[in-house]
């Protein structure tokens, strides 16, 4: 216990001396370290809606229909024509569905068959254009 008291006195002296020495005003700059307390933005894991090809849609580009499209029975399918040329989406059977889509971003919609199955289609202007609509 006795030693503790002595230590305390010495400490007091040291502090006093230190204070006197700093009379010049050149006190060590208090490094006000910006403590990232509360400023740390929590990792926002907001999954940005991955823009998969819009559901129930067919995009025509470069005289191609793109990947086969699968839709629900009776779904409304939107066709977008990114070519400058006009195209159609015409069911090979001729009557299930058929839309004419203006070029340069034209769009059209048709209703998918209500019966599940695979419905190949083509473009009446460019018969080599072949696509596939799957209903299930
Ligand atoms: Cu075409």
């Amino acid at each position: 216990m006795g030693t503790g008291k002595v230590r305390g006195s010495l400490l007091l002296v040291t502090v006093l001396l230190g204070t006197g020495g700093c009379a010049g005003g050149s006190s060590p700059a208090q490094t006000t370290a910006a403590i990232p307390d509360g400023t740390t933005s929590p990792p926002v894991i907001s999954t940005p809606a991955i823009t998969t090809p819009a559901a129930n849609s067919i995009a025509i580009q470069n005289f191609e229909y793109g990947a086969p499209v699968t839709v629900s029975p009776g779904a409304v399918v939107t066709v977008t024509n990114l070519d400058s040329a006009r195209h159609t989406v015409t069911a090979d059977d001729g009557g299930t569905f058929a839309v004419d889509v203006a070029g340069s971003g034209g769009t059209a919609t048709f209703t998918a068959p209500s019966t599940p199955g695979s419905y190949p289609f083509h473009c009446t202007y460019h018969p080599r254009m072949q696509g596939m609509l799957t209903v299930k």
Side-chain angles (χ1 to χ4, degrees), residues 33-113:
I35 303 168
D37 182 35
T39 57
T40 50
S41 54
V44 181
I45 312 175
S46 61
T47 47
I50 299 169
T51 51
T52 47
N56 301 343
S57 70
I58 297 171
I60 305 172
Q61 189 167 25
N62 299 324
F63 291 75
E64 290 178 356
Y65 292 110
V69 178
T70 301
V71 301
S72 301
V76 174
V77 181
T78 301
V79 184
T80 304
N81 182 2
L82 300 173
D83 283 343
S84 57
R86 177 175 286 270
H87 296 299
T88 74
V89 173
T90 305
D92 285 3
D93 63 21
T96 305
F97 53 85
V99 289
D100 197 301
V101 194
S104 303
T107 61
T109 60
F110 67 90
T111 302

